[in-house]
Amino acid sequence: MTKPTLPQVAIPLVTLAIICFAYFGPFTRTPFENIILSVIIIGANYWEYKGKPFSALGFYRDKFTGKNLLFLPPLVAFGLFIFYVFALVPGIEMLTGVPIDYSSMDQVKGNLTTTLIWLLLVWATAAFGEEIIFRGYFMRQFVKFFGDSQISLIFNIIIFSSFFGYMHMQQGITGQIVAGTTGALLCIIFYLREYDLWFNVMVHGFFNTLGILSFYFGLA
């Protein structure tokens, strides 16, 4: 592993400061926050990686295929959703004694217009936004500095899945633990797929689509 240059240290530190300020600063969080941060990250990567910001995140050109985008990810998302509904959520609720807070999704039930808007938002802010920030940027930067040995990978996953879970505070403590665990699984998928961010984006997007549709049809 080569020693990072000064720009490769300074640019990520400044970017991290901006991300933390956006998340924890004196601003009201908006649905477009992750989109704005993703644009900032792409700009930072453009500077750091000399005009190749997307491959640095894991958006590889050779992975942009129908099989990689529209065949395997829905299958993985479906399996992850089944685990989420029938094992993860009930297990964490039993552990904490507190039901997960889905009250923010009440507006979706039976409302087609709102559901379509939510689908657009979650694909933009969660599938693309969260994957760019938490997997494409945070995980890849960690690997750049600390490598991807087994011990480094464990710390990588624990740190950023915990951060990911914390950012879902609107769902209560149970929701945070569930989101953190789901984030850890997405981290593992990202690693197993050799840092293919296209794959993670699609898995995340299809997973959230299944969730929103279950609320729309009153199944959750």
Side-chain angles (χ1 to χ4, degrees):
M1 184 173 62
T2 59
K3 185 177 180 180
T5 63
L6 180 59
Q8 289 178 322
V9 174
I11 294 172
L13 286 177
V14 172
T15 306
L16 176 62
I18 293 172
I19 293 171
C20 289
F21 187 68
Y23 280 151
F24 305 112
F27 302 110
T28 301
R29 297 191 64 187
T30 74
F32 305 102
E33 183 177 59
N34 285 342
I35 299 175
I36 295 170
L37 291 176
S38 296
V39 172
I40 291 172
I41 284 172
I42 291 170
N45 268 11
Y46 186 89
W47 188 10
E48 180 178 349
Y49 294 97
K50 298 178 173 58
K52 297 181 179 180
F54 297 105
S55 60
L57 291 169
F59 286 125
Y60 303 124
R61 186 175 300 177
D62 63 325
K63 299 295 185 179
F64 192 77
T65 65
K67 180 181 179 180
N68 196 52
L69 298 177
L70 301 175
F71 178 67
L72 292 178
L75 296 177
V76 174
F78 182 74
L80 184 60
F81 188 72
I82 294 299
F83 171 73
Y84 177 92
V85 171
F86 293 104
L88 182 58
V89 172
I92 300 300
E93 287 182 338
M94 186 181 299
L95 179 67
T96 63
V98 180
I100 192 169
D101 184 1
Y102 287 129
S103 59
S104 62
M105 302 300 297
D106 290 344
Q107 57 188 305
V108 171
K109 186 176 181 179
N111 190 322
L112 182 59
T113 301
T114 302
T115 298
L116 292 175
I117 292 173
W118 268 84
L119 285 173
L120 289 173
L121 284 175
V122 298
W123 272 93
T125 65
F128 277 93
E130 290 180 349
E131 288 305 314
I132 286 174
I133 296 167
F134 288 93
R135 259 64 68 178
Y137 194 68
F138 284 162
M139 279 194 72
R140 292 298 296 274
Q141 286 291 335
F142 192 95
V143 169
K144 184 184 76 179
F145 287 107
F146 302 106
D148 59 357
S149 66
Q150 188 173 32
I151 188 65
S152 293
L153 179 65
I154 291 172
F155 278 106
N156 196 339
I157 292 173
I158 290 175
I159 291 170
F160 296 119
S161 61
S162 298
F163 189 9
F164 183 75
Y166 176 77
M167 296 311 297
H168 289 74
M169 60 189 75
Q170 74 277 8
Q171 295 180 358
I173 183 61
T174 299
Q176 287 179 299
I177 297 173
V178 167
T181 305
T182 305
L185 293 174
L186 288 169
C187 288
I188 293 171
I189 291 171
F190 190 48
Y191 172 75
L192 293 176
R193 294 290 299 183
E194 298 180 342
Y195 306 112
D196 173 12
L197 196 60
W198 283 121
F199 192 87
N200 261 62
V201 166
M202 300 308 289
V203 169
H204 198 152
F206 284 120
F207 175 84
N208 282 357
T209 297
L210 289 170
I212 289 175
L213 291 178
S214 68
F215 284 109
Y216 172 73
F217 288 109
L219 301 176

